[in-house]
């Protein structure tokens, strides 16, 4: 799993809707990627309406992925 996939999956993970194999990959990526730990911890604590503000607080390495994720969710 890469950073983009983790961001795509984090909503389902929080909701408990992620299949077990993806959950394993999700946790494995978190154990290896401090940027995604930072994102995920913040995301989990952030109300839906203010999640878009996360894009200003996260490392630039994942910022574009998160922005496209949020746009896709809003449009989908
Ligand atoms: Zn990552």
């Amino acid at each position: 799993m890469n950073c983009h996939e983790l961001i795509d999956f984090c909503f389902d993970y929080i909701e408990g809707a992620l299949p077990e194999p993806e959950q394993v990959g999700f946790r494995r990526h978190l154990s290896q990627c401090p940027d995604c730990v930072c994102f995920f911890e913040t995301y989990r604590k952030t109300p839906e309406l203010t999640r878009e503000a996360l894009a200003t607080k996260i490392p630039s390495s994942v910022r574009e992925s998160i922005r496209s994720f949020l746009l896709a969710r809003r449009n989908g």
Side-chain angles (χ1 to χ4, degrees):
M1 186 175 293
N2 60 36
C3 294
H4 190 89
E5 289 172 322
L6 186 135
I7 291 162
D8 280 347
F9 285 152
C10 67
F11 181 81
D12 285 342
Y13 185 85
I14 290 167
E15 295 294 305
L18 200 62
E20 182 65 26
E22 279 77 14
Q23 285 189 35
V24 172
F26 192 99
R27 286 192 289 263
R28 184 176 300 144
H29 185 91
L30 283 181
S31 74
Q32 298 166 350
C33 183
D35 283 353
C36 282
V37 171
C38 177
F39 169 73
F40 182 66
E41 288 299 314
T42 308
Y43 183 91
R44 193 163 57 178
K45 293 173 193 161
T46 305
E48 182 82 30
L49 286 174
T50 56
R51 279 176 182 163
E52 198 161 358
L54 282 177
T56 64
K57 297 177 184 171
I58 49 144
S60 58
S61 57
V62 292
R63 188 173 297 159
E64 281 306 313
S65 295
I66 291 166
R67 184 175 297 148
S68 59
F69 166 77
L70 290 167
L71 283 172
R73 284 195 56 78
R74 189 161 58 202
N75 294 334

